[in-house]
């Protein structure tokens, strides 16, 4: 009877892992729609191309080497050098879910981190430079920081983050802040879009082409986040695990609502209007904030945590604009600033130390930012990372893809 129960648990937990992984994969559609809605019409095809291509690159590079670097201490080509599933993804009776389900769940997280970069560098980065960076980010940079956190390896053999009290339940820092750090490095070297900032420091709004699409993308991300956070419970086949999953779902949703409301109210106070883009980013900010610890707060506290994220993201977006750091979709603020906030809120209710969170957050940020800056710098020197001014003016769709997303808006049939 015990063996039968074990098999049932294995089947249920594996199935749950796969369903949650599919929900996280669906977030790729959310990022694509959000970014396509917040860029100008002339850059829509290119941003969609980036989102599909980066997902394919992430899946391939994590299979080739990323997963082994992060969890097995392997390195380049270790994934494709396996002799077969008998050695790489065999059934293990002692485990509660299939190793291949774990890989699938992990790989869609990698793609999420890279999707964050896409929006921040939109409308002026060369497509192939971006995809070249995606190879390094998903195959090496992210897996290395993942090895020190979720993988449990000591940081360059010097210190152990787990022993220092670092905790990040589903990746506020490990996934979201890491993606934002890579994006920040790229944006610094890339520079702002033409016309974004005036000579006297004024910030010129560059509205997105399709706010209904951006709203759809936000709701898709909101839905996918239940897989992102809920799947990180890693089980559902027992009463305790199922209850934990329900708590995580509840708190994730509460934080998103709190973030949306916080950003909406602050935008109304600051601008005198209900700013839809701030509302959308507020919901995402709440989700990022709760991701580090959705399993321990009360639902009311989760709502308040999310509201803090919503308030912070508005101020962060305004601050980055003052610093002339041009982020067309607010990705650095949503995922970076609020990722840090999420890490620092974990000790309020969870089993983590403030010092451990600070050291862990700094480790992730410094590693990802510095290595990304180096890779972006090499790409800039070798192939260039910014499109020509005339291509930026005409639009990335024609320059990189040779087609327009909305041709009927430009010329009649």
């Amino acid at each position: 009877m015990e063996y039968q129960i074990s098999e049932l648990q294995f089947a249920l937990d594996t199935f749950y892992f796969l369903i949650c992984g599919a929900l996280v994969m669906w977030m790729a559609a959310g990022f694509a729609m959000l970014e396509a809605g917040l860029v100008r019409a002339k850059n829509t095809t290119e941003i969609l191309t980036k989102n599909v291509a980066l997902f394919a690159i992430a899946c391939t590079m994590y299979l080739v080497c990323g997963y082994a670097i992060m969890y097995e201490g392997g390195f380049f080509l270790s994934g494709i050098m396996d002799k077969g599933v008998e050695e790489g993804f065999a059934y293990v009776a002692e485990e509660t879910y299939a190793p291949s389900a774990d890989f699938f769940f992990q790989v869609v997280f990698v793609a999420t981190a890279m999707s964050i970069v896409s929006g921040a560098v939109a409308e002026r980065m060369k497509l192939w430079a971006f995809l070249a960076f995606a190879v390094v980010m998903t195959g090496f940079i992210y897996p290395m920081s993942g090895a020190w956190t979720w993988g449990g390896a000591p940081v360059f053999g010097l210190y152990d983050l787990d022993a220092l009290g670092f905790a990040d339940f589903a990746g506020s820092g490990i996934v979201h802040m890491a993606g934002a750090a890579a994006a920040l490095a790229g944006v610094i070297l890339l520079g702002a879009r033409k016309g974004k900032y005036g000579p006297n420091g004024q910030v010129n709004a560059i509205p997105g082409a399709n706010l209904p699409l951006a709203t759809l993308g936000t709701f898709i991300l909101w839905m996918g986040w239940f897989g992102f956070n809920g799947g990180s419970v890693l089980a559902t086949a027992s009463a305790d695990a199922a209850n934990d999953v329900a708590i995580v779902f509840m708190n994730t949703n509460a934080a998103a609502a709190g973030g949306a409301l916080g950003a909406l109210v602050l935008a109304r106070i600051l601008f005198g209007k209900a700013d839809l883009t701030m509302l959308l980013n507020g919901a995402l900010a709440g989700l990022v904030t709760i991701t580090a610890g959705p399993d321990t707060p009360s639902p009311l506290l989760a709502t308040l945590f999310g509201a803090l994220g919503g308030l912070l993201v508005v101020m962060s977006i305004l601050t980055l604009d003052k610093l002339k750091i041009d982020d067309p979709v607010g990705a650095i603020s949503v995922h970076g600033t609020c990722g840090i906030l999420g890490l620092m809120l974990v000790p309020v209710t969870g089993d983590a130390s403030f010092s451990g969170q600070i050291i862990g957050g700094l480790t992730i940020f410094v590693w990802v930012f510095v290595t990304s800056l180096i890779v972006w710098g090499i790409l800039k020197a070798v192939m260039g990372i910014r499109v020509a001014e005339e291509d930026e003016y005409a639009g990335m769709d024609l320059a990189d893809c040779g087609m327009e997303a909305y041709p009927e808006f430009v010329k009649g049939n």
Side-chain angles (χ1 to χ4, degrees):
M1 179 61 69
E2 289 183 0
Y3 181 72
Q4 291 176 343
I5 293 173
S6 178
E7 277 199 339
L8 179 60
Q9 180 182 0
F10 184 93
L12 288 174
D13 285 345
T14 296
F15 181 71
Y16 177 67
F17 234 173
L18 294 173
I19 293 300
C20 286
L23 278 172
V24 180
M25 185 273 170
W26 185 231
M27 291 174 69
F31 279 113
M33 295 302 97
L34 176 67
E35 293 170 18
L38 292 179
V39 300
R40 288 167 287 183
K42 64 184 180 179
N43 298 312
T44 306
T45 300
E46 194 264 355
I47 202 81
L48 295 173
T49 302
K50 284 201 304 184
N51 274 274
V52 178
L54 74 86
F55 188 86
I57 289 171
C59 292
T60 303
M61 291 307 300
Y62 201 63
L63 175 67
V64 169
C65 57
Y67 186 74
I69 293 172
M70 192 162 169
Y71 290 108
E72 300 172 4
F75 210 66
F76 292 109
L77 302 180
S78 53
I80 60 174
M81 292 302 289
D82 286 338
K83 295 180 179 179
V85 294
E86 291 80 6
E87 292 189 13
F89 296 101
Y91 166 70
V92 180
E94 292 78 17
E95 298 292 337
T96 62
Y97 48 80
S100 50
D102 177 59
F103 171 83
F104 175 66
F105 188 69
Q106 295 291 338
V107 77
V108 289
F109 274 55
V110 186
T112 297
M114 191 62 215
S115 294
I116 295 164
V117 184
S118 172
V121 300
E123 299 202 295
R124 75 273 200 207
M125 174 168 277
K126 289 182 177 180
L127 173 64
W128 291 99
F130 173 82
L131 297 181
F133 177 80
V135 171
V136 184
M137 176 69 179
T138 59
F140 177 67
I141 297 175
Y142 172 91
M144 283 296 293
S145 61
W148 302 329
T149 49
W150 286 332
V155 181
F156 293 121
L158 299 176
Y159 56 94
D160 188 319
L161 291 177
D162 287 339
L164 293 175
F166 175 77
D168 189 356
F169 186 86
S172 285
I174 298 168
V175 179
H176 295 279
M177 188 185 66
L184 178 62
V187 168
I188 289 173
L189 289 183
L190 190 61
R193 291 167 291 174
K194 295 295 182 183
K196 176 62 178 177
Y197 303 113
N200 297 320
Q202 70 266 31
V203 179
N204 301 315
I206 303 180
N210 196 326
L211 291 183
L213 205 61
T215 303
L216 174 64
T218 300
F219 273 120
I220 292 173
L221 287 167
W222 193 328
M223 177 183 174
W225 230 287
F226 296 124
F228 201 96
N229 288 355
S232 296
V233 177
L234 308 182
T236 193
S238 67
D240 286 342
N243 190 65
D244 289 343
V245 168
I247 289 171
V248 168
F249 270 56
M250 176 179 63
N251 284 344
T252 297
N253 189 65
L261 293 175
L264 179 64
V265 171
L266 182 57
R268 175 65 176 81
I269 293 171
L270 295 176
F271 313 135
K273 302 289 183 181
D275 190 314
L276 174 61
T277 60
M278 290 298 184
L279 172 64
L280 300 179
N281 277 329
L284 299 177
L287 289 163
V288 171
T289 300
I290 200 63
T291 293
D295 56 328
T296 53
S298 68
L300 178 59
L301 203 53
T303 305
L304 294 175
F305 286 175
L308 286 175
L311 296 173
L312 180 61
V313 77
V314 174
M315 300 309 300
S316 177
I317 289 172
L318 296 177
T319 300
L320 290 183
D321 266 340
K322 289 181 180 179
L323 296 174
K324 296 187 176 182
I325 296 176
D326 184 16
D327 179 356
V329 304
I332 296 171
S333 295
V334 169
H335 301 276
T337 309
C338 294
I340 295 170
L341 174 64
L343 288 178
M344 298 314 300
L345 288 175
V346 175
V348 176
T349 59
D351 186 17
S353 69
F354 285 107
S355 60
Q357 296 301 90
I358 293 171
I359 295 171
L362 283 173
T363 299
I364 297 167
F365 180 84
V366 171
W367 164 255
V368 177
F369 180 79
V370 172
T371 53
S372 296
L373 198 65
I374 293 170
V375 175
W376 287 125
I378 292 172
L379 290 172
K380 185 175 183 178
V382 172
M383 62 187 299
I385 60 174
R386 183 161 187 148
V387 297
E389 187 171 343
E390 56 270 24
D391 288 337
E392 183 178 348
Y393 178 80
M396 305 288 287
D397 289 1
L398 293 176
D400 276 333
C401 303
M403 62 179 69
E404 298 163 321
Y406 308 107
E408 67 274 18
F409 293 173
V410 180
K411 53 183 177 291
N413 292 327

